Amino acid sequence: MVEVFAVASGKGGTGKTTSTLALGMALAEEYDVTVIDADTGMANLLFHTGLTDEETTLHEVLGDDQPVEESIYQRFGMDVIPCGTALSGFREADPGRLREVVATVAEQTDVILLDSAATLSSRSAVLPIVLADRVVVVVQPTIPAISDGLKVQEYATTYGTGVAGVLFNRVTADEDISRISDKTEQYFEGEILASVPESETVREARRASKPLLAHAPDSPAAAAYRDAGAALNVRDSPEGTVADRFRNAVVPES
């Protein structure tokens, strides 16, 4: 069994990295999960997982300096591949090598979550969506955010990637989800996975360098993420076939 999900938003500030790790921990209760920070330009996952002091990250792997195995760390019940933040590492990284990273990891895990870039403005930003089986679109409950999310869906379907669903995040008490969700169900292919409330606990988790489900497992936000994980319905795929598909994936030119 291997299924790859890209967690994407189309804009910054939606809580995409928090969502990636929360979904990863929720799914790790049943599956072997690997989370990869595929945002090579604005990496955040290492700050959420206490990996800021590690020398080998995805940058070194994409720069062809280190094997994939050297960049994998066990954290919070998952395997985590962080990405570095140095500009030099970004410059030396070849985004196309992400295909081989995903193919290698696919041979030894059940679920891969790719934390994607905030925007779709470059080849490296689009590639995680191209490589994924399905995409989870993280949006805030506003019309502009849904519009950005629809751009993610357009890219995904163009390259044959399915839409697993939409995750409403950072929802405040005064926002009318029902009004927005009607439009979401009308235009998105996937279902609404969950509605995660805005919470100071989420910011506290980041300051503690822990995923939300590790820092505050009983919080309402953590419960919502577990609901989202349960709604994903991970699919079975032959490992060898999937790995070959990743290695042969078409890399966008720009």
Side-chain angles (χ1 to χ4, degrees):
M1 169 189 292
V2 172
E3 184 162 18
V4 179
F5 296 95
V7 183
S9 63
K11 69 182 293 295
T14 62
K16 180 175 49 57
T17 299
T18 293
S19 298
T20 303
L21 287 168
L23 289 173
M25 285 194 66
L27 290 169
E29 295 177 6
E30 183 175 355
Y31 304 101
D32 289 331
V33 175
T34 301
V35 176
I36 302 175
D37 191 345
D39 186 355
T40 57
M42 295 290 288
N44 275 304
L45 193 146
L46 76 174
F47 298 114
H48 291 250
T49 53
L51 291 170
T52 53
D53 294 331
E54 302 297 342
E55 293 184 1
T56 304
T57 72
L58 186 65
H59 270 169
E60 284 67 48
V61 177
L62 298 184
D64 203 25
D65 294 327
Q66 295 289 341
V68 176
E69 291 76 11
E70 293 298 317
S71 68
I72 300 175
Y73 304 91
Q74 292 186 343
R75 290 291 189 277
F76 308 103
M78 308 174 289
D79 283 343
V80 176
I81 300 179
C83 189
T85 58
L87 182 59
S88 58
F90 173 71
R91 287 172 175 166
E92 294 170 7
D94 177 2
R97 292 196 179 107
L98 184 63
R99 292 179 300 182
E100 184 62 32
V101 171
V102 174
T104 300
V105 173
E107 296 173 346
Q108 57 195 35
T109 195
D110 297 329
V111 177
I112 298 174
L113 294 172
L114 300 174
D115 187 16
S116 306
T119 64
L120 304 174
S121 58
S122 67
R123 182 175 80 153
S124 60
V126 175
L127 186 55
I129 296 173
V130 175
L131 289 175
D133 296 297
R134 289 187 287 167
V135 61
V136 174
V137 185
V138 181
V139 299
Q140 290 178 262
T142 66
I143 298 300
I146 290 175
S147 177
D148 289 322
L150 285 170
K151 296 173 185 175
V152 172
Q153 176 171 274
E154 182 180 356
Y155 267 100
T157 55
T158 297
Y159 287 97
T161 301
V163 179
V166 177
L167 179 64
F168 282 122
N169 195 31
R170 304 188 64 180
V171 180
T172 60
D174 61 344
E175 287 174 315
D176 183 3
I177 286 294
S178 61
R179 178 179 64 86
I180 298 296
S181 63
D182 289 342
K183 293 184 180 296
T184 304
E185 291 174 343
Q186 180 180 356
Y187 295 112
F188 281 91
E189 294 185 5
E191 63 179 296
I192 297 175
L193 299 172
S195 177
V196 182
E198 177 74 90
S199 173
E200 177 61 29
T201 305
V202 175
R203 289 179 282 276
E204 292 172 355
R206 171 164 177 158
R207 288 194 290 269
S209 296
K210 292 182 178 180
L212 174 66
L213 269 66
H215 179 74
D218 298 324
S219 65
Y225 279 120
R226 287 195 188 91
D227 289 341
L232 280 178
N233 296 320
V234 177
R235 299 169 178 172
D236 291 335
S237 300
E239 287 89 342
T241 301
V242 173
D244 290 341
R245 180 173 67 78
F246 295 140
R247 289 189 173 96
N248 297 321
V250 175
V251 180
E253 292 298 324
S254 59

